[in-house]
């Protein structure tokens, strides 16, 4: 219900700009569970911490890309980027950052206690980033566009997975 309300609100706020873009389908794709789906794992070659990173590539029954996950571990937190395909010309990217509780608070939260979890969402149709209406944006327009471009580049252009994302490039 929450997804439906958000989709309807964005559609009304943005008018015809979103009319051809299946925002609701993108949201559903990003929220769909990945458990039980066929996946292939690849090591991240541009390791950014001592814990390293991992790609998980999820494909549909016909072999087409359904979702792509990049998980980077770290001592003070972790990051996860998820790209999910909603159609031939539509996909979304969710960028999540998890900050762990510091060692001083280990008794309170245990060894995996989470201090903060933040997620930014980026929707793409026909290779173009859709910007949310100003009143619903968490970043200003320029910062959102920069963050969206960085997320897109990280998920489409990385040498480790470029062979599976080539159909999404425009």
């Amino acid at each position: 219900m929450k997804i439906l309300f958000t989709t309807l609100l964005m559609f009304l706020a943005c008018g015809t700009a979103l009319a051809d873009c299946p925002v609701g389908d993108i949201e559903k794709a990003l929220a769909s569970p990945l458990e039980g789906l066929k996946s292939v794992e690849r090591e991240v070659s541009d390791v950014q911490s001592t814990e390293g990173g991992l790609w998980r590539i999820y494909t549909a029954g016909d072999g087409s890309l359904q979702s792509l996950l990049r998980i980077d571990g770290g001592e003070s937190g972790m990051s996860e980027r998820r790209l999910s395909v909603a159609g031939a010309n539509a996909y979304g990217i969710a960028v999540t950052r998890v900050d762990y509780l510091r060692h001083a608070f280990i008794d309170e939260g245990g060894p995996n206690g989470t201090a903060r979890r933040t997620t930014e969402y980026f929707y793409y149709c026909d290779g173009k980033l859709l910007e949310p209406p100003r009143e619903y944006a968490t970043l200003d327009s320029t910062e959102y566009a920069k963050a969206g471009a960085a997320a897109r580049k990280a998920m489409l252009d990385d040498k480790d997975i470029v062979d599976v994302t080539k159909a999404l490039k425009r």
Side-chain angles (χ1 to χ4, degrees), residues 2 22-23 42 72 84 86 90 95 105 108 137 160-161 168:
K2 183 180 175 184
V23 173
R42 295 183 186 176
D72 290 290
S84 290
V95 179
F105 303 107
E108 294 174 24
D160 296 336
I161 47 82
L168 298 175

Side-chain angles (χ1 to χ4, degrees), residues 57-122:
I57 304 162
Y58 296 87
T59 55
D62 65 358
S64 63
L65 179 64
Q66 184 172 9
S67 287
L68 179 63
L69 221 57
R70 178 176 172 155
I71 303 167
D72 290 290
E75 291 179 11
S76 62
M78 63 158 295
S79 67
E80 177 181 294
R81 294 183 193 107
R82 176 179 174 168
L83 180 146
S84 290
V85 178
N89 298 318
Y91 59 91
I93 300 173
V95 179
T96 301
R97 173 72 191 161
V98 176
D99 294 310
Y100 301 143
L101 289 171
R102 302 293 182 245
H103 297 290
F105 303 107
I106 204 92
D107 292 335
E108 294 174 24
N112 298 317
T114 300
R116 181 177 59 188
R117 179 184 186 98
T118 56
T119 303
E120 288 289 334
Y121 296 93
F122 306 97

Side-chain angles (χ1 to χ4, degrees), residues 88-91 123-130 152 156 168-170:
N89 298 318
Y91 59 91
Y123 300 158
Y124 286 88
C125 285
D126 295 324
K128 294 182 178 136
L129 175 65
L130 297 177
R152 185 174 192 267
L156 295 182
L168 298 175
K169 288 188 176 186
R170 292 190 185 260

